[in-house]
């Protein structure tokens, strides 16, 4: 008989003791059987790491105990959800409405005359004051105010909105038409 056969016989002889120990940890026959099976698989896969002449029982019990605690830690992070109730409660609101509205806004901005779009972006998006925008554009303060006002009005008309709050409240179908 070769050493693998002897080792296997020694391990098989330990199964009742392993099962008793597994049951003492899990208090469930099915879980104990699974734990013993996992232990045997790990032991067989790592049999070359076992040093002959050392305590096989202690080695197997250590594998079983470590496997049990690994499973306990893993189960703490898992949520039992056989009915799918918990998974159904984990919904994220749709984000595509926002991106559709943004695309519609970009399309509408592209339809504005360059000087109106520039003024609106500087004041509305970049947050610059009218004075700063006028300086950047090289025009009078009144001209910038006029351009921003006209750009806002034209943008609302293009997007078929009453006021700015309506732009982001557009339904996806309305936003794609705009």
């Amino acid at each position: 008989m070769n050493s693998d056969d002897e080792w296997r016989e020694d391990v098989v002889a330990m199964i009742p003791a392993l099962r008793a120990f597994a049951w003492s940890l899990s208090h469930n026959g099915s879980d104990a059987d699974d734990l013993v099976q996992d232990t045997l698989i790990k032991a067989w896969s790592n049999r070359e790491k076992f040093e002959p002449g050392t305590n096989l029982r202690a080695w197997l019990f250590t594998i079983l105990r470590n496997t049990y605690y690994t499973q306990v830690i893993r189960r703490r992070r898992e949520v039992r959800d056989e009915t799918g109730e918990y998974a159904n409660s984990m919904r994220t609101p749709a984000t595509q409405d926002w991106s559709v509205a943004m695309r519609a806004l970009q399309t509408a901005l592209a339809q504005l005359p360059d000087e109106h779009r520039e003024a609106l972006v500087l004041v509305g998006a970049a947050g610059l004051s009218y004075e700063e925008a006028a300086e950047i554009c090289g025009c009078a303060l009144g001209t910038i105010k006029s351009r921003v006002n006209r750009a806002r009005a034209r943008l609302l008309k293009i997007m078929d909105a009453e006021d700015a709050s309506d732009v982001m409240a557009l339904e996806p179908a309305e936003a794609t038409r705009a």
Side-chain angles (χ1 to χ4, degrees), residues 98-119:
W98 176 257
S99 63
V100 168
M102 285 303 296
R103 233 177 281 121
L105 180 61
Q106 288 173 331
T107 302
L109 277 170
Q111 295 176 31
L112 294 176
D114 291 339
E115 63 274 357
H116 289 173
R117 181 176 49 253
E118 179 183 42

PDB file of all heavy atoms in Angstrom, residues 98-119:
ATOM      1  N   TRP A  98     -31.971  62.081 -16.558  1.00  0.00           N
ATOM      2  CA  TRP A  98     -31.050  63.198 -16.418  1.00  0.00           C
ATOM      3  C   TRP A  98     -30.154  63.308 -17.652  1.00  0.00           C
ATOM      4  O   TRP A  98     -29.956  64.393 -18.190  1.00  0.00           O
ATOM      5  CB  TRP A  98     -30.214  63.018 -15.151  1.00  0.00           C
ATOM      6  CG  TRP A  98     -29.165  64.062 -14.965  1.00  0.00           C
ATOM      7  CD1 TRP A  98     -27.843  63.939 -15.198  1.00  0.00           C
ATOM      8  CD2 TRP A  98     -29.367  65.401 -14.533  1.00  0.00           C
ATOM      9  NE1 TRP A  98     -27.189  65.102 -14.922  1.00  0.00           N
ATOM     10  CE2 TRP A  98     -28.106  66.030 -14.519  1.00  0.00           C
ATOM     11  CE3 TRP A  98     -30.478  66.139 -14.168  1.00  0.00           C
ATOM     12  CZ2 TRP A  98     -27.937  67.351 -14.141  1.00  0.00           C
ATOM     13  CZ3 TRP A  98     -30.298  67.450 -13.786  1.00  0.00           C
ATOM     14  CH2 TRP A  98     -29.044  68.046 -13.777  1.00  0.00           C
ATOM     15  N   SER A  99     -29.627  62.191 -18.121  1.00  0.00           N
ATOM     16  CA  SER A  99     -28.735  62.246 -19.274  1.00  0.00           C
ATOM     17  C   SER A  99     -29.497  62.618 -20.544  1.00  0.00           C
ATOM     18  O   SER A  99     -28.961  63.312 -21.406  1.00  0.00           O
ATOM     19  CB  SER A  99     -27.978  60.927 -19.459  1.00  0.00           C
ATOM     20  OG  SER A  99     -28.862  59.873 -19.723  1.00  0.00           O
ATOM     21  N   VAL A 100     -30.745  62.180 -20.672  1.00  0.00           N
ATOM     22  CA  VAL A 100     -31.555  62.567 -21.837  1.00  0.00           C
ATOM     23  C   VAL A 100     -31.814  64.066 -21.800  1.00  0.00           C
ATOM     24  O   VAL A 100     -31.684  64.757 -22.822  1.00  0.00           O
ATOM     25  CB  VAL A 100     -32.887  61.770 -21.868  1.00  0.00           C
ATOM     26  CG1 VAL A 100     -33.853  62.357 -22.880  1.00  0.00           C
ATOM     27  CG2 VAL A 100     -32.619  60.311 -22.177  1.00  0.00           C
ATOM     28  N   ALA A 101     -32.149  64.585 -20.636  1.00  0.00           N
ATOM     29  CA  ALA A 101     -32.391  66.027 -20.505  1.00  0.00           C
ATOM     30  C   ALA A 101     -31.114  66.816 -20.792  1.00  0.00           C
ATOM     31  O   ALA A 101     -31.153  67.864 -21.455  1.00  0.00           O
ATOM     32  CB  ALA A 101     -32.921  66.350 -19.113  1.00  0.00           C
ATOM     33  N   MET A 102     -29.967  66.312 -20.330  1.00  0.00           N
ATOM     34  CA  MET A 102     -28.705  67.006 -20.597  1.00  0.00           C
ATOM     35  C   MET A 102     -28.380  66.997 -22.088  1.00  0.00           C
ATOM     36  O   MET A 102     -27.898  67.985 -22.626  1.00  0.00           O
ATOM     37  CB  MET A 102     -27.560  66.368 -19.797  1.00  0.00           C
ATOM     38  CG  MET A 102     -27.588  66.723 -18.329  1.00  0.00           C
ATOM     39  SD  MET A 102     -27.555  68.497 -18.016  1.00  0.00           S
ATOM     40  CE  MET A 102     -25.963  68.927 -18.665  1.00  0.00           C
ATOM     41  N   ARG A 103     -28.631  65.863 -22.734  1.00  0.00           N
ATOM     42  CA  ARG A 103     -28.394  65.794 -24.177  1.00  0.00           C
ATOM     43  C   ARG A 103     -29.302  66.773 -24.924  1.00  0.00           C
ATOM     44  O   ARG A 103     -28.879  67.434 -25.854  1.00  0.00           O
ATOM     45  CB  ARG A 103     -28.614  64.362 -24.673  1.00  0.00           C
ATOM     46  CG  ARG A 103     -27.424  63.864 -25.456  1.00  0.00           C
ATOM     47  CD  ARG A 103     -27.557  62.428 -25.920  1.00  0.00           C
ATOM     48  NE  ARG A 103     -27.259  61.511 -24.824  1.00  0.00           N
ATOM     49  CZ  ARG A 103     -28.106  60.610 -24.347  1.00  0.00           C
ATOM     50  NH1 ARG A 103     -29.294  60.462 -24.863  1.00  0.00           N
ATOM     51  NH2 ARG A 103     -27.756  59.832 -23.352  1.00  0.00           N
ATOM     52  N   ALA A 104     -30.553  66.869 -24.482  1.00  0.00           N
ATOM     53  CA  ALA A 104     -31.494  67.806 -25.098  1.00  0.00           C
ATOM     54  C   ALA A 104     -31.016  69.246 -24.889  1.00  0.00           C
ATOM     55  O   ALA A 104     -31.105  70.079 -25.806  1.00  0.00           O
ATOM     56  CB  ALA A 104     -32.890  67.612 -24.524  1.00  0.00           C
ATOM     57  N   LEU A 105     -30.496  69.532 -23.699  1.00  0.00           N
ATOM     58  CA  LEU A 105     -29.973  70.872 -23.412  1.00  0.00           C
ATOM     59  C   LEU A 105     -28.762  71.174 -24.289  1.00  0.00           C
ATOM     60  O   LEU A 105     -28.646  72.274 -24.842  1.00  0.00           O
ATOM     61  CB  LEU A 105     -29.615  70.989 -21.929  1.00  0.00           C
ATOM     62  CG  LEU A 105     -29.057  72.328 -21.465  1.00  0.00           C
ATOM     63  CD1 LEU A 105     -30.060  73.445 -21.701  1.00  0.00           C
ATOM     64  CD2 LEU A 105     -28.678  72.258 -19.991  1.00  0.00           C
ATOM     65  N   GLN A 106     -27.872  70.203 -24.446  1.00  0.00           N
ATOM     66  CA  GLN A 106     -26.706  70.402 -25.311  1.00  0.00           C
ATOM     67  C   GLN A 106     -27.127  70.650 -26.757  1.00  0.00           C
ATOM     68  O   GLN A 106     -26.568  71.514 -27.436  1.00  0.00           O
ATOM     69  CB  GLN A 106     -25.781  69.188 -25.253  1.00  0.00           C
ATOM     70  CG  GLN A 106     -25.025  69.068 -23.962  1.00  0.00           C
ATOM     71  CD  GLN A 106     -24.234  67.766 -23.862  1.00  0.00           C
ATOM     72  OE1 GLN A 106     -24.614  66.759 -24.441  1.00  0.00           O
ATOM     73  NE2 GLN A 106     -23.137  67.806 -23.122  1.00  0.00           N
ATOM     74  N   THR A 107     -28.105  69.903 -27.218  1.00  0.00           N
ATOM     75  CA  THR A 107     -28.602  70.075 -28.583  1.00  0.00           C
ATOM     76  C   THR A 107     -29.202  71.467 -28.754  1.00  0.00           C
ATOM     77  O   THR A 107     -28.964  72.140 -29.758  1.00  0.00           O
ATOM     78  CB  THR A 107     -29.653  68.995 -28.912  1.00  0.00           C
ATOM     79  OG1 THR A 107     -29.059  67.712 -28.733  1.00  0.00           O
ATOM     80  CG2 THR A 107     -30.166  69.123 -30.324  1.00  0.00           C
ATOM     81  N   ALA A 108     -29.985  71.894 -27.759  1.00  0.00           N
ATOM     82  CA  ALA A 108     -30.599  73.224 -27.823  1.00  0.00           C
ATOM     83  C   ALA A 108     -29.535  74.314 -27.761  1.00  0.00           C
ATOM     84  O   ALA A 108     -29.623  75.311 -28.497  1.00  0.00           O
ATOM     85  CB  ALA A 108     -31.600  73.381 -26.682  1.00  0.00           C
ATOM     86  N   LEU A 109     -28.514  74.128 -26.921  1.00  0.00           N
ATOM     87  CA  LEU A 109     -27.424  75.118 -26.845  1.00  0.00           C
ATOM     88  C   LEU A 109     -26.709  75.250 -28.191  1.00  0.00           C
ATOM     89  O   LEU A 109     -26.317  76.358 -28.590  1.00  0.00           O
ATOM     90  CB  LEU A 109     -26.415  74.727 -25.769  1.00  0.00           C
ATOM     91  CG  LEU A 109     -26.752  75.117 -24.332  1.00  0.00           C
ATOM     92  CD1 LEU A 109     -25.793  74.462 -23.356  1.00  0.00           C
ATOM     93  CD2 LEU A 109     -26.744  76.621 -24.160  1.00  0.00           C
ATOM     94  N   ALA A 110     -26.554  74.133 -28.877  1.00  0.00           N
ATOM     95  CA  ALA A 110     -25.870  74.161 -30.176  1.00  0.00           C
ATOM     96  C   ALA A 110     -26.658  74.963 -31.218  1.00  0.00           C
ATOM     97  O   ALA A 110     -26.084  75.450 -32.187  1.00  0.00           O
ATOM     98  CB  ALA A 110     -25.639  72.750 -30.673  1.00  0.00           C
ATOM     99  N   GLN A 111     -27.958  75.117 -30.997  1.00  0.00           N
ATOM    100  CA  GLN A 111     -28.793  75.859 -31.946  1.00  0.00           C
ATOM    101  C   GLN A 111     -28.767  77.365 -31.705  1.00  0.00           C
ATOM    102  O   GLN A 111     -29.267  78.130 -32.526  1.00  0.00           O
ATOM    103  CB  GLN A 111     -30.239  75.358 -31.869  1.00  0.00           C
ATOM    104  CG  GLN A 111     -30.399  73.919 -32.320  1.00  0.00           C
ATOM    105  CD  GLN A 111     -31.821  73.423 -32.146  1.00  0.00           C
ATOM    106  OE1 GLN A 111     -32.762  74.179 -32.240  1.00  0.00           O
ATOM    107  NE2 GLN A 111     -31.947  72.128 -31.883  1.00  0.00           N
ATOM    108  N   LEU A 112     -28.191  77.785 -30.614  1.00  0.00           N
ATOM    109  CA  LEU A 112     -28.101  79.219 -30.316  1.00  0.00           C
ATOM    110  C   LEU A 112     -26.992  79.855 -31.146  1.00  0.00           C
ATOM    111  O   LEU A 112     -25.989  79.200 -31.457  1.00  0.00           O
ATOM    112  CB  LEU A 112     -27.793  79.438 -28.831  1.00  0.00           C
ATOM    113  CG  LEU A 112     -28.840  79.029 -27.809  1.00  0.00           C
ATOM    114  CD1 LEU A 112     -28.302  79.249 -26.395  1.00  0.00           C
ATOM    115  CD2 LEU A 112     -30.131  79.793 -28.008  1.00  0.00           C
ATOM    116  N   PRO A 113     -27.125  81.139 -31.455  1.00  0.00           N
ATOM    117  CA  PRO A 113     -26.012  81.846 -32.104  1.00  0.00           C
ATOM    118  C   PRO A 113     -24.789  81.826 -31.188  1.00  0.00           C
ATOM    119  O   PRO A 113     -24.915  81.816 -29.961  1.00  0.00           O
ATOM    120  CB  PRO A 113     -26.533  83.275 -32.285  1.00  0.00           C
ATOM    121  CG  PRO A 113     -28.026  83.163 -32.189  1.00  0.00           C
ATOM    122  CD  PRO A 113     -28.307  81.982 -31.312  1.00  0.00           C
ATOM    123  N   ASP A 114     -23.606  81.816 -31.783  1.00  0.00           N
ATOM    124  CA  ASP A 114     -22.366  81.684 -31.015  1.00  0.00           C
ATOM    125  C   ASP A 114     -22.234  82.703 -29.886  1.00  0.00           C
ATOM    126  O   ASP A 114     -21.873  82.352 -28.757  1.00  0.00           O
ATOM    127  CB  ASP A 114     -21.148  81.800 -31.941  1.00  0.00           C
ATOM    128  CG  ASP A 114     -21.020  80.613 -32.877  1.00  0.00           C
ATOM    129  OD1 ASP A 114     -21.602  79.550 -32.569  1.00  0.00           O
ATOM    130  OD2 ASP A 114     -20.334  80.741 -33.901  1.00  0.00           O
ATOM    131  N   GLU A 115     -22.526  83.980 -30.172  1.00  0.00           N
ATOM    132  CA  GLU A 115     -22.345  85.006 -29.134  1.00  0.00           C
ATOM    133  C   GLU A 115     -23.354  84.831 -27.990  1.00  0.00           C
ATOM    134  O   GLU A 115     -23.045  85.119 -26.839  1.00  0.00           O
ATOM    135  CB  GLU A 115     -22.408  86.424 -29.715  1.00  0.00           C
ATOM    136  CG  GLU A 115     -23.714  86.834 -30.347  1.00  0.00           C
ATOM    137  CD  GLU A 115     -23.847  86.434 -31.813  1.00  0.00           C
ATOM    138  OE1 GLU A 115     -22.902  85.868 -32.391  1.00  0.00           O
ATOM    139  OE2 GLU A 115     -24.921  86.701 -32.372  1.00  0.00           O
ATOM    140  N   HIS A 116     -24.558  84.353 -28.291  1.00  0.00           N
ATOM    141  CA  HIS A 116     -25.540  84.113 -27.228  1.00  0.00           C
ATOM    142  C   HIS A 116     -25.130  82.897 -26.379  1.00  0.00           C
ATOM    143  O   HIS A 116     -25.228  82.940 -25.148  1.00  0.00           O
ATOM    144  CB  HIS A 116     -26.929  83.877 -27.818  1.00  0.00           C
ATOM    145  CG  HIS A 116     -27.540  85.111 -28.398  1.00  0.00           C
ATOM    146  ND1 HIS A 116     -28.713  85.087 -29.086  1.00  0.00           N
ATOM    147  CD2 HIS A 116     -27.146  86.414 -28.384  1.00  0.00           C
ATOM    148  CE1 HIS A 116     -29.020  86.305 -29.487  1.00  0.00           C
ATOM    149  NE2 HIS A 116     -28.066  87.128 -29.072  1.00  0.00           N
ATOM    150  N   ARG A 117     -24.701  81.826 -27.048  1.00  0.00           N
ATOM    151  CA  ARG A 117     -24.270  80.631 -26.326  1.00  0.00           C
ATOM    152  C   ARG A 117     -23.078  80.960 -25.433  1.00  0.00           C
ATOM    153  O   ARG A 117     -23.024  80.564 -24.262  1.00  0.00           O
ATOM    154  CB  ARG A 117     -23.916  79.514 -27.314  1.00  0.00           C
ATOM    155  CG  ARG A 117     -23.470  78.231 -26.615  1.00  0.00           C
ATOM    156  CD  ARG A 117     -23.199  77.066 -27.562  1.00  0.00           C
ATOM    157  NE  ARG A 117     -22.347  77.401 -28.673  1.00  0.00           N
ATOM    158  CZ  ARG A 117     -22.752  77.543 -29.932  1.00  0.00           C
ATOM    159  NH1 ARG A 117     -24.017  77.366 -30.245  1.00  0.00           N
ATOM    160  NH2 ARG A 117     -21.900  77.861 -30.890  1.00  0.00           N
ATOM    161  N   GLU A 118     -22.111  81.717 -25.973  1.00  0.00           N
ATOM    162  CA  GLU A 118     -20.922  82.089 -25.211  1.00  0.00           C
ATOM    163  C   GLU A 118     -21.297  82.888 -23.964  1.00  0.00           C
ATOM    164  O   GLU A 118     -20.829  82.592 -22.859  1.00  0.00           O
ATOM    165  CB  GLU A 118     -19.976  82.898 -26.098  1.00  0.00           C
ATOM    166  CG  GLU A 118     -18.715  83.348 -25.403  1.00  0.00           C
ATOM    167  CD  GLU A 118     -17.844  84.207 -26.315  1.00  0.00           C
ATOM    168  OE1 GLU A 118     -18.397  85.077 -27.032  1.00  0.00           O
ATOM    169  OE2 GLU A 118     -16.625  84.004 -26.286  1.00  0.00           O
ATOM    170  N   ALA A 119     -22.175  83.866 -24.127  1.00  0.00           N
ATOM    171  CA  ALA A 119     -22.591  84.694 -22.988  1.00  0.00           C
ATOM    172  C   ALA A 119     -23.329  83.859 -21.954  1.00  0.00           C
ATOM    173  O   ALA A 119     -23.087  83.987 -20.745  1.00  0.00           O
ATOM    174  CB  ALA A 119     -23.472  85.842 -23.480  1.00  0.00           C
TER     175      ALA A 119
END
